């Protein structure tokens, strides 16, 4: 089974151009006001145009109003939206029905807190993304919780992705041990706050190496 790879937090055309020739599935562009990696709207068309055609452009929003979300998703060529706030199942449904894009819903994982109810969200989202509490911390959550998360979403018709503190050095261990449907990385492939081509290449190669080993060991 193929593992989706998403590179998040692209800021410039150069960042987008680094993905050419790499086996990457999606790229996230942060549109949440006030974040370090937030992309100004004036820069957005050039950044999106520089992405490889095979890479899905993902708008990252947080608690945006429905009119605001619709404006981003209908004005620009995004294939998906990543909702990183307290968006309800009803909100996800409205985005899905009004905008016609894939919906990635991010959930914070806290070892002491409850996990989200799959039955409430599953039919309105395409991907459930599990991240460290607060998101953007650069720290992984307790991966030991992944089997419990996967068991809860096993019957859901959506993918389960993992984010939070992933790097080229640890992603191989994650995908070998827990086999998520996808992985999402931002700061782990940066140097001095900028996307680093060598780190992105290494990250992708580690994921695909696990896929290749699994494919060879389990021929179909």
């Amino acid at each position: 089974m193929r593992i989706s790879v998403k590179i998040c937090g692209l800021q410039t055309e150069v960042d987008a151009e680094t993905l050419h020739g790499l086996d990457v599935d999606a790229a996230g562009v942060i549109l949440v006001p006030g974040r370090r990696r937030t992309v100004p709207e004036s820069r957005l068309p050039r950044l999106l145009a520089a992405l490889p055609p095979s890479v899905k452009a993902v708008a990252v929003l947080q608690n945006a109003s429905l009119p605001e979300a619709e404006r981003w998703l209908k004005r620009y060529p995004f294939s998906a939206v990543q909702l990183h706030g307290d968006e309800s199942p009803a909100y996800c449904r409205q985005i899905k029905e009004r905008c016609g894009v894939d919906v990635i819903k991010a959930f914070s994982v806290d070892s002491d807190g409850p996990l989200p109810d799959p039955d409430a969200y599953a039919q309105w989202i395409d991907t459930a993304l599990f991240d460290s509490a607060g998101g953007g911390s650069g720290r992984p959550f307790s991966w030991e919780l992944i089997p419990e998360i996967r068991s809860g979403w096993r019957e859901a018709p959506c993918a389960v992705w993992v984010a939070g503190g992933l790097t080229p050095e640890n992603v191989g261990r994650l995908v070998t041990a827990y086999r998520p449907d996808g992985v999402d990385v931002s700061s782990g492939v940066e140097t001095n706050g900028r996307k680093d081509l060598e780190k992105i290449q290494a990250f992708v190669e580690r994921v695909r190496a696990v896929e290749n080993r699994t494919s060879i060991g389990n021929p179909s």
Side-chain angles (χ1 to χ4, degrees):
M1 182 190 72
R2 179 179 175 82
I3 297 171
S4 296
V5 174
K6 175 174 169 283
I7 309 298
C8 201
L10 273 63
Q11 299 178 65
T12 66
E13 295 171 69
V14 174
D15 288 346
E17 290 165 355
T18 63
L19 303 185
H20 284 263
L22 300 182
D23 194 3
V24 170
D25 299 281
V29 180
I30 296 174
L31 304 175
V32 182
R35 299 298 177 88
R36 180 175 68 79
R37 298 183 184 87
T38 299
V39 175
E41 188 168 1
S42 61
R43 191 189 302 159
L44 187 58
R46 296 190 302 274
L47 189 161
L48 294 176
L51 284 172
S54 60
V55 173
K56 180 183 294 186
V58 181
V60 180
L61 302 175
Q62 184 178 54
N63 297 328
S65 68
L66 278 169
E68 179 186 0
E70 284 190 273
R71 189 183 77 83
W72 286 117
L73 297 172
K74 291 184 176 180
R75 179 173 294 186
Y76 297 101
F78 288 107
S79 301
V81 61
Q82 182 169 311
L83 304 174
H84 240 285
D86 303 316
E87 298 87 1
S88 67
Y91 181 100
C92 295
R93 176 181 180 174
Q94 289 179 297
I95 290 290
K96 188 77 175 169
E97 293 178 343
R98 293 187 187 187
C99 301
V101 297
D102 287 351
V103 176
I104 302 168
K105 179 67 186 83
F107 300 104
S108 293
V109 179
D110 186 330
S111 58
D112 298 323
L115 293 171
D117 178 8
D119 292 336
Y121 281 94
Q123 70 182 112
W124 309 121
I125 66 176
D126 299 275
T127 298
L129 172 65
F130 292 89
D131 198 354
S132 304
S137 67
R139 298 188 303 272
F141 62 85
S142 297
W143 291 349
E144 294 78 9
L145 295 172
I146 293 176
E148 180 182 353
I149 292 169
R150 293 298 301 256
S151 67
W153 289 78
R154 186 165 290 124
E155 303 303 320
C158 54
V160 172
W161 290 8
V162 171
L166 298 182
T167 68
E169 290 72 33
N170 67 15
V171 72
R173 296 196 302 275
L174 169 71
V175 297
T176 298
Y178 298 105
R179 199 70 181 191
D181 299 313
V183 289
D184 188 354
V185 63
S186 183
S187 61
V189 291
E190 292 180 349
T191 298
N192 297 325
R194 309 300 298 183
K195 291 293 183 279
D196 184 315
L197 174 58
E198 291 186 2
K199 289 183 178 181
I200 296 173
Q201 287 176 321
F203 187 91
V204 175
E205 287 170 1
R206 305 269 163 82
V207 175
R208 302 304 175 214
V210 174
E211 285 182 342
N212 292 337
R213 288 199 303 271
T214 304
S215 175
I216 292 170
N218 295 281
S220 57

